[in-house]
Amino acid sequence: MTVPERSPSEEKLLQWTRSLLPLLALFCFLSSVYLLTYNGLFRSIDELTMFSMTESLVQSHSFETPQLTFASHHNPVGQFEPLQPLAALPLYWVAIRWHQVGNIQMVMLFNVMVTPLTAGVLYFASRLLDYSRTRALILALIYGFCTMSWPYTRTFFREPFLAFLWTFSLLSFLRWSESSQSKWALLCLFLLMLSVTVKLTSIALLPGYLIAFLMTSKVKKRRALFLVGSGVVIGATFLFILAFRSGHVNLGRIYRFVTSISCPAILHNGYGLLLSPGKGLFLFSPILVLGLGGIPSLWSRHRSITVVIAVSLVALLGLYTQLSSWYGGVCWGPRFLVPLIPFLTLPIGEVLGKGHFLSKIGQISLTAASFLVQLAASTADWAEYYRKLSNRYPQPETGIWMDPARLSLSPILGQFRIWRPAHFDLLWWHMSSTGEVYLDWLLLASLAIVFALSILLLVSYMKKRGRIGRMALLSSASLIVGLGALLVQGPRSTKGYEGVDTETLRQIAGRINKDSDEAYIVATVSNEFEHSLVMNFLKGHFVHYWYSPAQEGEFDDILSSPIPARRLWLVVDRIHLQPDHSGQHLEWWLNKRAYRYEATWMGTGYQVFGYFLPRRPLSVRRMSCLWRDGIELVGFAQGAERVEAGDILPLQFHFLAREEMDRDYALFVHLLSPDGETIDGPDGEPLFGALPTSAWRTGQEILDRRALLIPKDLEPGEYQIEIGFYNSEGRLPMSEADGDRGDKIYVGEVHVEE
């Protein structure tokens, strides 16, 4: 039987598919391990900032981040570059429509997917450097498991995404060097431009590429074109992103920064970034020492690539060592150098498996040590040791961690000291808030199957087995199923944070989501960063404003929301309030401007308030009803004459203080059914405490807004609205001058429809 010949297009498609098999095999294998060590929690305000930008892009089509208003009082943070929030947008878009998964936990998969792609690109770059398929695969696995890239898959930091773009740009440059095709040079330039939109400091890569291009290009016109084009495009992108971050381009500030570069800072902080016990790159990724040994050999074979690697390292060190936060904050190792790790991994291929017996033993030892370091950081929270140490040594990054004699206090050794099941913080294995070990065997089994099948796919690729196509489909399908299991189980299995009641946050979000069929606003008052976990559970179309309890005004933005919302939820975290904060400023501000219909306590210290925002002002009916102690109702308005069960009916009362009083009264509002049954409404002091009656002044007119939540099980019919005042002594009678009306009046009626 003769096999029909393939057409050129079919043959090209087949070759293209085969060329992607190593990428698929690496992606499935690495991501299966990353899912096993996945946690799904933020550790930094930077992560929350980028998540908030993603949320705003989906919810209000804006880069504004009202979710971070609180940060100016506690942990100031600026505007970030837009590309990573844009790239994560599809994940968030799916999350808010898939009610069984967590929004944060879905977005936190971003680096879980990006890092395996980076390893795949590194594999192809290694092949272009004439490394064998096995050596290129080992290099990709070294990058994925033996460097800081692994712990950073548990974050939403920008550095893993930068590593992908930088590695892809290096691959494009290699393809251009090999083929001289302009499309690869343009792709390299485009990727560099994109990386600037992830992080401004990516501009530091340009000098290395320009030098390498001049070394490689033989045509003067091409040199000039590339130099001018790259300078204009990258420079324009840099200025645009700078303006995006700060609102304007301050060229004077750029000039002052460049001209004030300090050599002592380069030496001191450069040591900190590369060799110090607390942040040294070669301590946190010991395997990269092999890369230093491979640079001479790489220089002899590929000088232009060596220049890109060396100049990029020097430029980044020169840039970051000038920053006050050169160490990257509370993170694992030198965060700012994470994008450069693929560059430093490439030269390892020059020495891998070479040399005498002792050299090979040393390579194996470095690889094993590097793997264990990353495993410890990827299974237990690295911030836990930091918190313990910083209580004794404040700001250890610039203190004890810069002292070589304090190596015993390095976070690497500290991580191993706390590395035991009691400190694991994996999604499927962690210590619960009650002190019990949480172990989700079903989720573990699902992820273990994904891991096993990914190993089979990798082995099939290496041995070139004939059924690799079927294995690729099976492994990919299992990865999707395992990913779905992790996402669905995530909201129920999340470890949460110490001191934050995760279950109560879920309940709060559940109450808000119950009425999420239409757009709504969420306002949070909290000074606890980890309260951000509530954002994991919110669904639907909303805008989130987060204020500090220390903020006493400037809340106007909340009533000029970019979405047409009629419901507003206020969540006040009273558990973490400082003694000098009341946490009531926003509540009282809203009581004067919105129509409150619900107030409840949830958990041990969270208050949730529901407000209604009518689309148009209510029409006020003037009237005169007088109570004793000088309270007169001079006007009343209601939002509708006919409502349905479950609707919200806004009410507006205009009171006049005929005289001052020294007692506080509460206002009750009830619905009275046709058969005389009383349905309770929103009782409380005028403006719900924002202006008690004891603070009224003679002649003052008080506008009180509140709303009735029509019960969903209310029978259709005509209902009267009755109001009155009361205190601990009983109800306040009507004034004798106003006739014998008892202690309540009927101000209106509403028809509840079927």
Side-chain angles (χ1 to χ4, degrees):
M1 180 177 179
T2 59
V3 178
E5 294 186 2
R6 299 187 182 93
S7 66
S9 60
E10 291 175 335
E11 188 66 33
K12 187 175 181 180
L13 178 61
L14 182 61
Q15 292 176 358
W16 183 79
T17 304
R18 287 174 177 170
S19 67
L20 290 181
L21 279 176
L23 176 62
L24 179 61
L26 280 168
F27 183 86
C28 290
F29 180 57
L30 289 172
S31 58
S32 68
V33 176
Y34 297 159
L35 290 178
L36 281 167
T37 58
Y38 171 88
N39 172 259
L41 295 173
F42 291 146
R43 306 292 182 189
S44 166
I45 190 72
D46 290 359
E47 297 173 276
L48 178 59
T49 300
M50 285 179 291
F51 175 83
S52 298
M53 291 176 70
T54 300
E55 182 176 84
S56 294
L57 281 168
V58 174
Q59 299 289 7
S60 58
H61 313 297
S62 167
F63 284 105
E64 298 298 321
T65 51
Q67 307 93 326
L68 300 173
T69 304
F70 78 98
S72 60
H73 295 271
H74 305 284
N75 191 356
V77 62
Q79 185 83 317
F80 283 176
E81 293 81 358
L83 187 57
Q84 178 152 324
L86 279 168
L89 187 151
L91 293 173
Y92 182 87
W93 187 89
V94 171
I96 61 170
R97 287 162 174 78
W98 189 359
H99 283 227
Q100 287 76 23
V101 309
N103 304 334
I104 292 175
Q105 291 168 334
M106 174 71 90
V107 173
M108 288 286 281
L109 290 172
F110 184 79
N111 286 334
V112 171
M113 296 185 292
V114 164
T115 302
L117 291 176
T118 307
V121 174
L122 185 65
Y123 170 88
F124 290 121
S126 302
R127 296 289 285 145
L128 289 177
L129 290 177
D130 300 321
Y131 296 154
S132 67
R133 189 172 64 162
T134 300
R135 183 164 301 203
L137 187 63
I138 292 174
L139 278 182
L141 294 177
I142 284 175
Y143 168 75
F145 293 133
C146 301
T147 70
M148 293 190 302
S149 62
W150 184 3
Y152 276 83
T153 62
R154 290 159 50 91
T155 74
F156 193 48
F157 286 130
R158 295 172 288 176
E159 282 69 23
F161 190 29
L162 273 184
F164 169 72
L165 293 173
W166 289 7
T167 310
F168 204 171
S169 70
L170 189 67
L171 174 64
S172 302
F173 181 81
L174 278 168
R175 290 298 303 267
W176 175 82
S177 301
E178 182 184 72
S179 65
S180 296
Q181 294 180 353
S182 299
K183 64 180 181 180
W184 294 111
L186 292 174
L187 179 58
C188 176
L189 178 62
F190 176 69
L191 291 167
L192 289 175
M193 180 185 68
L194 285 182
S195 66
V196 173
T197 65
V198 176
K199 201 168 187 179
L200 274 173
T201 50
S202 297
I203 197 75
L205 264 67
L206 189 58
Y209 277 104
L210 292 178
I211 295 172
F213 184 86
L214 292 173
M215 293 172 57
T216 306
S217 179
K218 300 292 191 280
V219 182
K220 292 183 178 180
K221 288 184 178 180
R222 288 187 178 181
R223 288 186 191 180
L225 180 62
F226 187 83
L227 286 171
V228 174
S230 60
V232 170
V233 174
I234 300 294
T237 305
F238 175 81
L239 294 176
F240 174 77
I241 298 301
L242 187 63
F244 174 84
R245 289 192 58 170
S246 60
H248 65 283
V249 177
N250 191 333
L251 296 178
R253 185 177 179 184
I254 297 174
Y255 174 78
R256 287 191 296 272
F257 177 83
V258 174
T259 56
S260 64
I261 291 178
S262 168
C263 289
I266 292 177
L267 296 175
H268 180 269
N269 297 340
Y271 154 77
L273 288 170
L274 297 177
L275 299 171
S276 70
K279 289 291 178 178
L281 176 65
F282 294 107
L283 272 72
F284 283 82
S285 299
I287 192 69
L288 297 181
V289 174
L290 292 180
L292 297 179
I295 286 180
S297 176
L298 186 63
W299 170 259
S300 65
R301 298 196 310 114
H302 295 279
R303 295 193 174 185
S304 59
I305 293 300
T306 310
V307 165
V308 171
I309 295 173
V311 174
S312 298
L313 176 60
V314 171
L316 285 171
L317 287 175
L319 179 62
Y320 283 123
T321 53
Q322 305 306 303
L323 303 179
S324 58
S325 58
W326 55 267
Y327 46 84
V330 182
C331 54
W332 183 246
R335 169 163 65 102
F336 296 150
L337 296 185
V338 168
L340 203 61
I341 289 177
F343 284 28
L344 300 176
T345 304
L346 269 179
I348 296 176
E350 299 291 324
V351 299
L352 195 63
K354 297 180 180 179
H356 50 73
F357 177 75
L358 290 179
S359 174
K360 293 179 181 178
I361 292 296
Q363 293 177 25
I364 294 173
S365 300
L366 279 175
T367 303
S370 297
F371 174 80
L372 289 175
V373 168
Q374 312 317 323
L375 178 63
S378 300
T379 50
D381 180 12
W382 62 69
E384 186 169 340
Y385 176 72
Y386 178 90
R387 287 190 291 267
K388 292 180 179 178
L389 189 69
S390 60
N391 290 333
R392 295 170 53 199
Y393 304 99
Q395 199 65 41
E397 297 91 345
T398 56
I400 58 168
W401 282 350
M402 292 292 284
D403 185 357
R406 297 296 190 103
L407 182 62
S408 61
L409 297 176
S410 168
I412 297 173
L413 298 178
Q415 190 71 8
F416 281 113
R417 283 195 285 269
I418 68 168
W419 192 32
R420 53 185 179 274
H423 296 284
F424 286 177
D425 66 341
L426 309 172
L427 183 65
W428 57 273
W429 187 4
H430 57 258
M431 186 71 72
S432 68
S433 58
T434 59
E436 299 177 352
V437 175
Y438 176 87
L439 193 56
D440 189 333
W441 287 105
L442 183 60
L443 180 57
L444 173 60
S446 302
L447 298 178
I449 293 173
V450 176
F451 175 66
L453 291 175
S454 69
I455 292 179
L456 292 177
L457 173 60
L458 196 63
V459 171
S460 298
Y461 169 72
M462 291 304 300
K463 294 188 175 182
K464 298 182 179 180
R465 292 181 177 174
R467 296 183 178 180
I468 186 173
R470 295 181 183 178
M471 183 56 65
L473 289 175
L474 183 60
S475 181
S476 301
S478 72
L479 179 62
I480 294 172
V481 172
L483 186 61
L486 179 139
L487 288 172
V488 171
Q489 191 63 17
R492 294 188 291 271
S493 300
T494 181
K495 175 184 177 181
Y497 301 100
E498 185 178 352
V500 174
D501 189 346
T502 304
E503 180 58 34
T504 300
L505 294 184
R506 268 195 291 263
Q507 293 174 3
I508 291 171
R511 176 64 192 95
I512 295 173
N513 295 336
K514 189 176 180 181
D515 299 317
S516 63
D517 293 338
E518 58 181 87
Y520 62 94
I521 298 169
V522 179
T524 295
V525 176
S526 177
N527 58 3
E528 177 57 57
F529 163 78
E530 290 161 349
H531 180 78
S532 59
L533 188 58
V534 74
M535 300 166 71
N536 190 50
F537 311 114
L538 297 174
K539 298 296 178 179
H541 188 198
F542 63 89
V543 175
H544 184 196
Y545 297 83
W546 186 347
Y547 298 99
S548 166
Q551 187 168 341
E552 298 182 4
E554 299 182 359
F555 303 121
D556 299 270
D557 288 346
I558 203 171
L559 296 183
S560 57
S561 170
I563 63 173
R566 292 200 298 168
R567 292 185 189 241
L568 188 155
W569 294 94
L570 172 62
V571 180
V572 182
D573 172 15
R574 300 202 178 278
I575 297 176
H576 302 100
L577 283 180
Q578 297 177 5
D580 57 335
H581 293 159
S582 70
Q584 292 183 304
H585 295 294
L586 179 56
E587 176 194 345
W588 287 344
W589 188 90
L590 285 171
N591 290 346
K592 296 176 182 179
R593 294 163 176 84
Y595 297 79
R596 193 165 109 183
Y597 63 89
E598 182 174 331
T600 184
W601 285 89
M602 303 194 77
T604 58
Y606 296 93
Q607 270 189 295
V608 180
F609 303 94
Y611 291 88
F612 187 74
L613 305 173
R615 292 197 171 99
R616 60 183 65 88
L618 305 188
S619 179
V620 180
R621 172 167 52 90
R622 307 311 295 184
M623 58 195 310
S624 178
C625 299
L626 185 64
W627 283 265
R628 293 181 183 176
D629 282 1
I631 301 176
E632 183 180 7
L633 177 67
V634 296
F636 169 73
Q638 65 185 76
E641 302 294 333
R642 307 179 74 85
V643 297
E644 295 180 359
D647 285 350
I648 296 174
L649 177 64
L651 305 173
Q652 192 167 296
F653 304 95
H654 296 255
F655 295 107
L656 179 66
R658 287 291 189 90
E659 58 188 70
E660 294 185 10
M661 62 196 86
D662 56 3
R663 287 180 289 186
D664 288 325
Y665 293 100
L667 171 68
F668 68 81
V669 181
H670 296 158
L671 281 181
L672 191 63
S673 68
D675 58 4
E677 181 185 0
T678 299
I679 295 94
D680 290 337
D683 291 8
E685 290 183 311
L687 282 69
F688 295 102
L691 189 62
T693 55
S694 60
W696 292 10
R697 296 295 174 259
T698 303
Q700 180 182 5
E701 185 169 328
I702 295 89
L703 173 57
D704 182 276
R705 295 181 174 94
R706 57 189 67 199
L708 280 167
L709 177 60
I710 308 300
K712 290 187 176 181
D713 58 352
L714 200 62
E715 294 292 331
E718 295 288 340
Y719 290 78
Q720 289 186 312
I721 302 171
E722 63 177 22
I723 69 168
F725 288 90
Y726 68 95
N727 61 13
S728 59
E729 298 175 2
R731 289 189 176 184
L732 180 65
M734 302 297 297
S735 170
E736 295 179 359
D738 201 35
D740 186 14
R741 295 192 182 181
D743 53 19
K744 61 184 178 182
I745 61 169
Y746 301 102
V747 293
E749 61 181 22
V750 62
H751 180 79
V752 178
E753 299 178 334
E754 295 186 13

